[in-house]
Amino acid sequence: MNAGFANGGDNTVVAASTVTINDTIGLNGGVLTINNVGTGAVTLNANIGGATTSAVATADISSGGSIVQTSGNMVVTGTTTLTAGSSSPITLNSALNEFGTVVVNSGGAVTLRDTSGITLGATTANGNFSLTSGGATVFNNAINLGQAGGSLTAIVTGALTVNGTVIANGVDLTATTNMTLANTGGIT
């Protein structure tokens, strides 16, 4: 299924097969919901959001398969919620992505990249988790990569604050300024 969206307002697509976004989406503060109830991939081949005036307020992307960004960038000022198949990758790796908060409900290996600061909400994945952030980064909730023994790697240009429990096979955290482990409940 190829989906195109009207600019402005809220947009929802529900499909039972592969979902491919090939057209730029500028929702002017609207809500984007993509729900692939099948096992096919959600593939993002276009810009989602853009300058502040056309940014997406919140995005909820779910798929029984993978969620993959092959081109374009995402600008979401609020929360981006990602739910993929338990062993399916989530790859949002554009250098121009700009997220507010990202929550990962499920997925295999996860790769996220953000041009400035990002907040990572509650995260559960069954593989390695890699985050590259161009600004201050906060892990606000538990990060659980323990089911498949995944490792957590975060490279942050700026400060990194970890406010939740981290369960991972390995942890490699790099920050160019301050790193704070506050109220973590542990890193295991």
Side-chain angles (χ1 to χ4, degrees):
M1 168 181 205
N2 286 319
F5 294 87
N7 287 335
D10 298 344
N11 282 271
T12 300
V13 63
V14 177
S17 62
T18 300
V19 176
T20 302
I21 307 297
N22 289 319
D23 296 322
T24 296
I25 302 169
L27 298 181
N28 297 318
V31 175
L32 172 65
T33 303
I34 300 171
N35 184 5
N36 179 5
V37 296
T39 58
V42 171
T43 303
L44 308 173
N45 293 327
N47 292 334
I48 296 176
T52 305
T53 57
S54 65
V56 174
T58 62
D60 185 352
I61 303 173
S62 60
S63 175
S66 60
I67 300 170
V68 178
Q69 179 181 45
T70 57
S71 63
N73 59 51
M74 290 184 70
V75 178
V76 182
T77 57
T79 300
T80 301
T81 303
L82 305 168
T83 306
S86 64
S87 62
S88 299
I90 297 172
T91 306
L92 301 176
N93 200 27
S94 170
L96 298 177
N97 286 341
E98 178 68 42
F99 298 105
T101 299
V102 174
V103 173
V104 178
N105 289 326
S106 65
V110 177
T111 303
L112 295 177
R113 190 165 180 185
D114 186 277
T115 191
S116 64
I118 186 173
T119 298
L120 188 62
T123 294
T124 301
N126 290 320
N128 296 331
F129 190 103
S130 173
L131 172 68
T132 303
S133 173
T137 299
V138 178
F139 293 172
N140 246 0
N141 296 93
I143 299 171
N144 185 347
L145 309 177
Q147 293 177 356
S151 64
L152 170 65
T153 302
I155 300 171
V156 177
T157 303
L160 172 62
T161 302
V162 179
N163 287 328
T165 302
V166 176
I167 300 170
N169 192 31
V171 177
D172 183 5
L173 304 175
T174 304
T176 59
T177 60
N178 300 328
M179 186 179 308
T180 305
L181 305 176
N183 301 317
T184 63
I187 296 177
T188 58

